Structure formats: structure tokens, C-alpha cells
């Protein structure tokens, strides 16, 4: 998994030393007795792994589990770039041809809400929480629930 796909989340390995401390050095210190998963965001894995290739792989695998939900909610760069371009073009159009800009914005508004509702329904059917949906929308869990609670029935927790 490419670390550049999730800004602020780089896979780091901590090195457990014989005295019990975890070294955050870039290279493995002599005497390392175990590995600990870490992330550049400050997250630290649940436990140590053996000081062997398998242990390093397990620490990396644990980090992958940490970053997977973040990656799942991160829109693809190519689509964000297109969105930014559209926004910039409409903003420029609004200064020179405001009626054309209003027509484009009205069209975006017509399809935006149904697409959000479709995505929320799919997220709920997939078992995602209101907190996860709110994070993806840039709003609170409570706001997401209040705005979209009627979009799809809530699946019972298991």
C-alpha cells in the first residue's frame, strides 16, 4: 500500500529494546528484541512482534489495518483534481458570465443530493457507522444521522 495515498500516515516500525523502551530510530538498533507497529500520525500498534522478518511483516500488516479505513474514505486524487478544476472554472465564470455559472450550479445541485443519498445508503448497507459517514462528509456523526437517517434503514448491530 503506497503511503503517499494517505497523507499524514506513513508506516513506521518501532524497535523494542532490551530495557523495554521503543526506539523510533530510522534504522534498527543493535539488540532489538521486537517490533512495534507505528504510524506518522501518532498511532501505535497493540503489541510487539518477534525480532525477525516475520515480526516486521506482522507490524506492517497491523499498520495496514490502521490505515485501511482511512484509505477507504480518501477520495481518489484524480477525481479531486477534476472537482477542483470544475470549482475554479465555475468561480471564474461567475465573474464574467454569472447566469451561465448559475445554470451550472443549479445542475450540480440537482444531481448532488441524490448521489450523496445513494452513497450514504450504500455505506449504511455496508455496515459503516454514522461517525464514519460524518467523517467522510466533513460533518459530525450527529449531523450525518440527522440529515440522512431516512435514507436507508439502520442495520441492527451484531
Amino acid at each position: 500500500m503506497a503511503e503517499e495515498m494517505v497523507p499524514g500516515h506513513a508506516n513506521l516500525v518501532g524497535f523494542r529494546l532490551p530495557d523495554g523502551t521503543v526506539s523510533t530510530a530510522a534504522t534498527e538498533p543493535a539488540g532489538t528484541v521486537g517490533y512495534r507497529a507505528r504510524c506518522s500520525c501518532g498511532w501505535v500498534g497493540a503489541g510487539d512482534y518477534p525480532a525477525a522478518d516475520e515480526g516486521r511483516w506482522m507490524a506492517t500488516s497491523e499498520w495496514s489495518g490502521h490505515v485501511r479505513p482511512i484509505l477507504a474514505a480518501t477520495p481518489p486524487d484524480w477525481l479531486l483534481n477534476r472537482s477542483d478544476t470544475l470549482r475554479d472554472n465555475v468561480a471564474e465564470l461567475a465573474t464574467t458570465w454569472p447566469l451561465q455559472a448559475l445554470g451550472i450550479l443549479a445542475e450540480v445541485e440537482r444531481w448532488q443530493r441524490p448521489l450523496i443519498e445513494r452513497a450514504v445508503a450504500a455505506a449504511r448497507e455496508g455496515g459503516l457507522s454514522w461517525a464514519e459517514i460524518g467523517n467522510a462528509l466533513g460533518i459530525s456523526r450527529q449531523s450525518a444521522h440527522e440529515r440522512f437517517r431516512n435514507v436507508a434503514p439502520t442495520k441492527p448491530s451484531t
Side-chain angles (χ1 to χ4, degrees), residues 19-65:
D19 66 1
T21 62
V22 176
S23 169
T24 58
T27 58
E28 183 174 342
T32 295
V33 296
Y35 297 121
R36 172 68 66 100
R38 299 186 317 116
C39 184
S40 60
C41 74
W43 172 87
V44 178
D48 290 345
Y49 297 100
D53 288 341
E54 296 81 15
R56 186 183 283 268
W57 180 87
M58 290 187 300
T60 298
S61 179
E62 186 179 6
W63 173 82
S64 294

Side-chain angles (χ1 to χ4, degrees), residues 33-107:
V33 296
Y35 297 121
R36 172 68 66 100
R38 299 186 317 116
C39 184
S40 60
C41 74
W43 172 87
V44 178
D48 290 345
Y49 297 100
D53 288 341
E54 296 81 15
R56 186 183 283 268
W57 180 87
M58 290 187 300
T60 298
S61 179
E62 186 179 6
W63 173 82
S64 294
H66 155 70
V67 80
R68 190 171 294 115
I70 300 161
L71 180 61
T74 303
D77 284 342
W78 66 268
L79 193 53
L80 286 177
N81 290 338
R82 288 181 180 184
S83 173
D84 291 346
T85 300
L86 175 62
R87 182 199 60 227
D88 294 345
N89 289 339
V90 172
E92 183 180 336
L93 190 63
T95 63
T96 56
W97 297 92
L99 292 178
Q100 290 180 357
L102 287 170
I104 291 169
L105 291 169
E107 180 61 26

Side-chain angles (χ1 to χ4, degrees), residues 89-146:
N89 289 339
V90 172
E92 183 180 336
L93 190 63
T95 63
T96 56
W97 297 92
L99 292 178
Q100 290 180 357
L102 287 170
I104 291 169
L105 291 169
E107 180 61 26
V108 168
E109 190 174 13
R110 279 190 283 280
W111 55 258
Q112 179 220 16
R113 178 70 182 207
L115 285 178
I116 289 175
E117 289 176 355
R118 186 185 316 165
V120 167
R124 293 298 292 156
E125 290 167 8
L128 296 176
S129 71
W130 286 113
E132 292 167 311
I133 293 167
N135 284 339
L137 290 170
I139 60 177
S140 70
R141 175 205 59 80
Q142 182 176 350
S143 294
H145 182 259
E146 288 172 2

